[in-house]
Amino acid sequence: VQLVESGGGSVATGGSLRLSCVASGYSRHRACMAWFRSPPGKEHERGARERVASIDRDGRPSYADFVQGRFTISIVKEDEKNSLTLQMGSLKPDDTAVYYCASASCPVYGESWLAYPYWGQGTQVTVSL
């Protein structure tokens, strides 16, 4: 299984960014996917990763409380790959983090990073004042 993210960058408060992740190497029908993030200084600590949003086998999204309607997760499933997107708006400095795409065989129980065995390399998002 391979996950490759893109789309991070730097924006001012209130700006928008779109993150993308292409996942390949497993059955698209079994894949549940999510976005996590690690706060500054803890990029290498998997235990510090918090779930931002996830999407289940039927395409139903779920969001962390801190998202508050600002982000939208979506997925396109094809025969050989899944394309996961996180559209982020009204960004705040607290959203500064490394964002990771994650995948697991469905169903996924809970919101912990432990539920996801497959991870991308991460993409940096920086929101300035």
Side-chain angles (χ1 to χ4, degrees):
V1 179
Q2 258 194 325
L3 284 74
V4 180
E5 300 117 334
S6 61
S10 299
V11 294
T13 296
S16 299
L17 280 174
R18 183 183 179 92
L19 305 183
S20 298
C21 172
V22 178
S24 59
Y26 57 87
S27 169
R28 67 184 179 95
H29 299 291
R30 293 190 290 109
C32 285
M33 299 189 71
W35 288 98
F36 282 74
R37 68 185 189 184
S38 290
K42 297 187 176 181
E43 293 84 355
H44 301 297
E45 297 180 28
R46 284 206 175 190
R49 294 178 184 179
E50 60 178 352
R51 187 187 70 100
V52 177
S54 56
I55 198 161
D56 70 10
R57 177 169 42 197
D58 298 319
R60 289 184 292 248
S62 173
Y63 299 95
D65 290 342
F66 62 78
V67 170
Q68 296 179 326
R70 299 179 296 129
F71 301 171
T72 301
I73 188 172
S74 60
I75 192 168
V76 174
K77 294 186 176 182
E78 302 174 74
D79 285 341
E80 299 297 326
K81 66 179 182 180
N82 290 339
S83 298
L84 185 72
T85 299
L86 185 68
Q87 180 68 49
M88 303 188 295
S90 301
L91 283 163
K92 309 172 184 179
D94 285 348
D95 294 317
T96 295
V98 176
Y99 284 71
Y100 297 90
C101 172
S103 179
S105 294
C106 300
V108 171
Y109 299 104
E111 302 176 355
S112 169
W113 65 274
L114 291 168
Y116 294 85
Y118 306 111
W119 293 84
Q121 79 285 358
T123 185
Q124 177 70 49
V125 170
T126 302
V127 185
S128 58
L129 291 170

